[in-house]
């Protein structure tokens, strides 16, 4: 059973600080990794994707991938109250099925 | 509107009725995925389709659920004889290709309530 694991939280971070979200996955052969943001009652919204080891930055967001450790993370710099949401890690396993973790609920404290 | 379109957005059905959820993928996308999200739970994969083909239905319940993506028209997720446990948000997503490496984009979702 291919799995994606996330700490469900809640994770509370002061406004302006860095929020760090973590995810591990079970299949060493996985090649594609995604972070989605989901507000309550809304659909998932793609934030970032990463395919190669290392860091990928997009504005206040940085995705980090370490395939040897089967670990992917998302850093949110200068956290804003509007960043309060559930963050979903997703991995494309070889069978072409995008599998999601259960999500980490993030709360930014003003 | 270039996004993934789902309808209806909200649907109420009595136990034993049928629910039909429709999804039109983004323009240029030929791959459709359906996911279900129960209250306070994560997204669970249900089925992956291409035009006229079911590629992976490993997440579909064995009974009462079916999906199709005809050559013309939207993808349909059909739930027969609904029960209260079917109450959930059903999300459709699409991608230009099926293989990993192509991002998938979600529609706004269809919220099914069974009373």
């Amino acid at each position: 059973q291919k799995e994606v694991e996330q700490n469900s939280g809640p994770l509370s971070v002061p406004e302006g600080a860095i929020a760090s979200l973590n995810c591990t996955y079970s299949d060493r052969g996985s090649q594609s990794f995604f972070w989605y943001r989901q507000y309550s009652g809304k659909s998932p919204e793609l934030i970032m994707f990463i395919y190669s080891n290392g860091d990928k930055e997009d504005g206040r967001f940085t995705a980090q991938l370490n395939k040897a450790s089967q670990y992917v993370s998302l850093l949110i710099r200068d956290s804003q109250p509007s960043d309060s949401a559930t963050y979903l890690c997703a991995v494309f396993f070889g069978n072409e099925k995008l599998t999601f973790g259960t999500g980490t609920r993030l709360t930014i404290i003003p | 509107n270039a996004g993934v379109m789902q309808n209806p957005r909200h649907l109420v059905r009595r136990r034993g009725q049928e629910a039909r959820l429709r999804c039109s993928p983004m323009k240029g996308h030929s791959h459709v995925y359906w996911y279900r999200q129960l209250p306070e739970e994560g997204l669970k994969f249900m089925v992956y389709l291409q035009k006229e083909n079911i590629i992976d239905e490993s997440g579909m319940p064995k009974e009462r659920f079916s999906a199709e993506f005809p050559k013309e028209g939207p993808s349909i997720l059909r739930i027969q004889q609904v029960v209260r446990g079917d109450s959930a948000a059903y999300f459709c997503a699409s991608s230009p290709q099926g293989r990993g490496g192509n991002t998938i984009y979600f529609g706004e979702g269809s919220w099914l309530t069974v009373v």
Side-chain angles (χ1 to χ4, degrees):
Chain A
Q1 179 79 2
K2 301 222 170 58
E3 295 183 339
V4 179
E5 300 284 344
Q6 292 182 257
N7 187 326
S8 62
L11 174 66
S12 296
V13 173
E15 183 176 356
I18 296 175
S20 178
L21 304 160
N22 304 314
C23 172
T24 58
Y25 58 95
S26 61
D27 183 9
R28 187 175 291 274
S30 301
Q31 297 295 322
S32 308
F33 308 87
F34 304 83
W35 284 99
Y36 287 82
R37 176 176 62 196
Q38 187 177 27
Y39 294 111
S40 181
K42 301 295 185 181
S43 65
E45 172 192 8
L46 179 67
I47 297 176
M48 292 196 69
F49 57 89
I50 186 167
Y51 307 144
S52 303
N53 274 330
D55 295 0
K56 179 182 179 182
E57 187 175 316
D58 184 0
R60 295 187 296 113
F61 298 97
T62 299
Q64 298 175 317
L65 175 60
N66 183 326
K67 290 186 179 180
S69 300
Q70 295 173 232
Y71 175 91
V72 58
S73 64
L74 180 70
L75 302 177
I76 307 174
R77 289 182 300 281
D78 188 22
S79 297
Q80 304 295 311
S82 59
D83 295 327
S84 296
T86 296
Y87 288 80
L88 302 168
C89 174
V91 179
F92 248 121
F93 293 124
N95 58 0
E96 305 182 351
K97 179 169 67 181
L98 189 62
T99 300
F100 284 82
T102 54
T104 298
R105 186 172 296 179
L106 173 66
T107 300
I108 306 301
I109 304 168
Chain B
N1 189 330
V4 180
M5 302 299 293
Q6 289 189 249
N7 67 83
R9 294 292 312 282
H10 298 275
L11 182 63
V12 179
R13 284 289 178 264
R14 296 186 184 277
R15 282 177 294 172
Q17 291 185 318
E18 178 180 289
R20 281 188 181 229
L21 310 177
R22 289 175 290 277
C23 170
S24 296
M26 287 179 71
K27 187 175 182 180
H29 287 193
S30 58
H31 297 251
V32 165
Y33 308 79
W34 285 94
Y35 285 81
R36 176 166 65 176
Q37 189 171 38
L38 295 169
E40 304 301 322
E41 293 191 13
L43 284 161
K44 298 297 184 185
F45 169 81
M46 299 183 75
V47 62
Y48 160 42
L49 311 104
Q50 295 178 31
K51 287 280 187 182
E52 299 184 284
N53 281 305
I54 296 175
I55 306 302
D56 182 347
E57 57 181 347
S58 59
M60 289 279 272
K62 298 298 182 197
E63 298 177 347
R64 302 188 297 109
F65 284 72
S66 62
E68 63 176 3
F69 189 15
K71 185 176 180 180
E72 300 291 338
S75 175
I76 306 287
L77 179 67
R78 182 183 179 201
I79 311 172
Q80 295 178 290
Q81 300 174 325
V82 296
V83 300
R84 288 223 170 112
D86 296 332
S87 295
Y90 292 83
F91 292 101
C92 172
S94 73
S95 70
Q97 298 177 37
R99 293 203 171 274
N102 286 281
T103 54
I104 75 171
Y105 297 91
F106 282 84
E108 294 293 306
S110 291
W111 269 260
L112 172 65
T113 302
V114 179
V115 297

